[in-house]
Amino acid sequence: MTTTSPATPHEHSPEARIDLDSALTRLRAGSSEWTALTAAGRRDLLRRIRSAVAGAADDWARIAAASKGLEPRHPLAGEEWLAGPYAAIVALDAYIGTLDALARGRSPLAGVRTGTAPGGRTVVHTSPLNVADRILLSGYTTEVWLQPGVTAHEARDAAGLASRHPLRSGGVGLVLGAGNVTSIPFLDVLYELLAEGRVALLKVNPTQDALVPVFERAFAPLIEAGFAAVVSGGGDVGAYLTRHPEIDHVHITGSETTFHAIVGSGDDRLRVPITAELGGVSPVIVVPGRWTAADLRFQAEHVATMRLHNSGHNCIAGQVVLLSRDWDQREDFELELRRAFARTPKRPVWYPNAAARLEHVREVYPDAEWFADGTRAIAVGDGEIETTEYFAPVLGIVDLPGTGAAFVDAAVAHANERLTGTLGANVLVDPVTQHRLGSPFDEAMARLRYGTVAINAWTAFGFLTPTATWGAFPGGTVDDAPSGIGIVHNALLLDEVERSVVRGPFRPFPRSLGRGRFSVLPKPPWFVTSRTGRAVSEGFARFRIDGRIGPLLVTLARAFGA
């Protein structure tokens, strides 16, 4: 997420302006050629991009880790494999499948199972759709819920978006890239091209300047054809580009402050449409139940991962844990949560202004408990932590009354009404309690006004699944969009989406053999407490790239050492 604000155009040099104008002129010419490219042609182009990403994968992961102050063998360096090359490859594979279906005159939803959700919503079961997902991500599923009233038949007919009607040009789009997760700019460019029919100019966030050569290598087939360009620079460059007459649309992943600065007001009001992903304060709803000691430890590490991944510099991070004050295991869970914060490997707090935000938290929450030499904190109590996205490793705990359905209803209402944003919500519930709650639990989940709802999973899984969707809950406007407008990813190119729902196993293997959702995975490699997370994450990415079974077996064996 970028924190820089647009500055006045005159701050960058005339030479830089000439280069930007030249890039946009080439893209304008390329937009006509992109429009004329068939689904089969686009599919073949993506296959070339896939080869380019595979060739750049090692540099991508290494440079990304270094930019965040991590040595290549740091226990958490695996994050950069999953959030970089892995995310790019699985997205390309999914888009290639969609374009291949369109090239053959089929709907991308042909053979994809559908169902219904509360409120008569149509549900598209978007993963797993292949054997690799069933093996690597055992026990995890995603669904896309369409807006009420959209039928399965209508969804199949509409799937494909701009790639279904390639003769309709979307012009030139500007992508203002995120500064925190390296796959975001890459994925946003793909969505501009395939879902919106626009060629794209990517302006890289300054925090990722070191990755510009990697992006240029990955996008080389697009750049050579005039379908994409990559530029760098600060807020002055962003300001110049957002007001440029050759830009037809703006997409940003960033802060709400930056978004409003771009939109402007009065005579400086942005003249073109804008979509955005702006983060928010994400809840972690912990439903009271009867948990074993192993459950308490595992789910505490799960919550720590939601907050401490990428040193907390994630719009996707869980920030406020909603706990029942009437849960008789509440103190046990809090103790395990503190232990997880303490044993997670130390890492730099690297994002611009994050250190200042941590100091601010010390002032606002003087009783907060600090860990890892004062670089991460847990604060108990409501207040600012519910309305301000800290974008730093600070977790809040807020008490609510009740147990069972009463607690679930109170937590859903609190999340909807008190927490800023609508991007993602996480819910942890043991299988016995979920079964006992029955359909009212499902109805409560439908009332959560979030673009992604994860049940016994982290919403990041939805982000990482290309056939799921990512973005704010529908309803944001340029004047009121705390988590943004529109969606991205969505590799099945579905129309009229309301949200994605992720479901995961409450317990890892071998404890998943009992009641509940089965998984062959032990501790997932993305857990910040996984001892083998770096090696397993890299192994997963390499398998997605080359499909070699031998190294995958070695990787899976390592996973059981977590």
Side-chain angles (χ1 to χ4, degrees):
M1 179 177 295
T2 178
T3 57
T4 57
S5 297
T8 53
H10 66 267
E11 291 183 16
H12 63 283
S13 69
E15 292 79 9
R17 184 178 298 190
I18 290 171
D19 289 343
L20 295 172
D21 291 347
S22 176
L24 286 169
T25 298
R26 187 157 189 264
L27 286 172
R28 176 62 63 185
S31 65
S32 298
E33 295 183 31
W34 177 252
T35 300
L37 195 62
T38 64
R42 296 179 182 192
R43 174 201 63 201
D44 295 343
L45 185 60
L46 258 59
R47 286 172 174 161
R48 292 174 55 203
I49 298 170
R50 190 188 193 283
S51 296
V53 169
D58 285 271
D59 287 343
W60 187 331
R62 175 182 54 79
I63 294 170
S67 73
K68 300 177 181 183
L70 297 179
E71 295 295 327
R73 302 194 70 81
H74 188 281
L76 298 177
E79 292 177 359
E80 301 311 315
W81 277 97
L82 289 182
Y86 178 99
I89 288 291
V90 296
L92 285 166
D93 285 344
Y95 280 125
I96 287 168
T98 289
L99 292 172
D100 188 64
L102 292 171
R104 297 172 186 272
R106 304 170 61 204
S107 168
L109 290 188
V112 176
R113 185 166 57 93
T114 60
T116 58
R121 294 170 173 88
T122 294
V123 171
V124 181
H125 295 275
T126 54
S127 75
L129 296 178
N130 55 56
V131 174
D133 286 344
R134 290 184 176 90
I135 294 174
L136 298 188
L137 308 173
S138 172
Y140 291 85
T141 62
T142 63
E143 310 159 7
V144 172
W145 292 14
L146 305 181
Q147 295 184 23
V150 179
T151 68
H153 178 76
E154 290 169 337
R156 287 190 177 90
D157 282 351
L161 299 179
S163 288
R164 184 169 177 261
H165 303 287
L167 295 180
R168 300 176 186 173
S169 175
V172 179
L174 170 64
V175 173
L176 298 174
N180 60 328
V181 174
T182 63
S183 63
I184 293 176
F186 181 90
L187 298 176
D188 289 350
V189 167
L190 291 184
Y191 200 72
E192 283 289 288
L193 288 160
L194 301 170
E196 307 294 352
R198 286 186 283 267
V199 296
L201 176 66
L202 168 61
K203 206 287 283 184
V204 176
N205 186 284
T207 64
Q208 293 191 9
D209 277 351
L211 281 163
V212 168
V214 171
F215 289 139
E216 290 176 335
R217 286 173 63 188
F219 284 135
L222 292 173
I223 294 171
E224 292 163 3
F227 300 153
V230 180
V231 300
S232 58
D236 55 319
V237 173
Y240 179 67
L241 292 172
T242 59
R243 267 49 181 186
H244 200 286
E246 289 290 352
I247 294 296
D248 299 299
H249 181 272
V250 175
H251 177 79
I252 176 176
T253 300
S255 70
E256 190 177 7
T257 300
T258 304
F259 174 78
H260 287 303
I262 292 169
V263 170
S265 60
D267 293 340
D268 192 42
R269 185 82 164 179
L270 185 67
R271 63 172 182 81
V272 298
I274 183 170
T275 53
E277 192 269 85
L278 305 177
V281 176
S282 293
V284 185
I285 298 172
V286 180
V287 181
R290 177 51 52 192
W291 294 11
T292 67
D295 294 338
L296 291 165
R297 180 184 175 103
F298 178 78
Q299 293 300 345
E301 293 182 359
H302 199 175
V303 175
T305 297
M306 296 178 194
R307 179 70 270 184
L308 299 180
H309 180 279
N310 200 23
S311 202
H313 309 316
N314 285 337
C315 57
I316 206 170
Q319 180 163 306
V320 173
V321 181
L322 300 179
L323 280 180
S324 169
R325 67 173 65 105
D326 301 315
W327 186 26
D328 60 4
Q329 293 183 291
R330 179 220 159 94
E331 291 185 3
D332 295 332
F333 181 74
E334 279 199 48
L335 177 61
E336 287 294 351
L337 191 53
R338 286 173 167 80
R339 288 172 173 169
F341 259 57
R343 67 174 170 268
T344 296
K346 295 178 184 178
R347 64 177 302 165
V349 178
W350 63 272
Y351 206 79
N353 303 317
R357 286 194 288 274
L358 291 180
E359 289 305 310
H360 175 74
V361 169
R362 291 181 189 275
E363 298 174 4
V364 176
Y365 292 95
D367 296 328
E369 187 170 354
W370 292 83
F371 306 85
D373 299 326
T375 59
R376 61 186 71 142
I378 295 177
V380 178
D382 56 9
E384 181 186 89
I385 203 165
E386 297 182 290
T387 58
T388 301
E389 182 190 12
Y390 284 137
F391 214 63
V394 178
L395 183 71
I397 297 176
V398 173
D399 280 347
L400 295 175
T403 59
F407 172 79
V408 173
D409 290 343
V412 167
H414 192 96
N416 284 341
E417 298 164 12
R418 296 282 297 275
L419 304 187
T420 295
T422 66
L423 186 61
N426 311 274
V427 182
L428 304 179
V429 56
D430 68 90
V432 172
T433 300
Q434 185 174 350
H435 178 75
R436 184 181 298 127
L437 290 170
S439 59
F441 176 82
D442 299 328
E443 292 161 3
M445 296 302 97
R447 291 197 301 275
L448 274 170
R449 295 195 298 269
Y450 288 84
T452 298
V453 174
I455 302 169
N456 291 330
W458 178 25
T459 51
F461 191 91
F463 172 92
L464 203 62
T465 302
T467 47
T469 59
W470 184 251
F473 194 77
T477 69
V478 291
D479 297 312
D480 182 21
S483 285
I485 304 170
I487 60 171
V488 289
H489 304 180
N490 187 26
L492 294 174
L493 300 179
L494 302 173
D495 199 8
E496 299 188 84
V497 167
E498 182 186 67
R499 75 181 83 191
S500 284
V501 175
V502 180
R503 303 181 193 271
F506 181 74
R507 299 181 175 98
F509 185 85
R511 293 189 301 114
S512 61
L513 290 167
R515 187 170 183 176
R517 180 173 286 234
F518 174 73
S519 174
V520 299
L521 282 179
K523 184 183 295 183
W526 55 86
F527 269 39
V528 291
T529 52
S530 172
R531 294 191 300 271
T532 60
R534 184 201 59 77
V536 174
S537 296
E538 179 180 345
F540 277 13
R542 292 193 184 281
F543 174 71
R544 293 291 192 175
I545 289 170
D546 59 29
R548 295 172 59 201
I549 297 298
L552 175 63
L553 295 177
V554 174
T555 295
L556 293 175
R558 286 175 174 165
F560 282 87

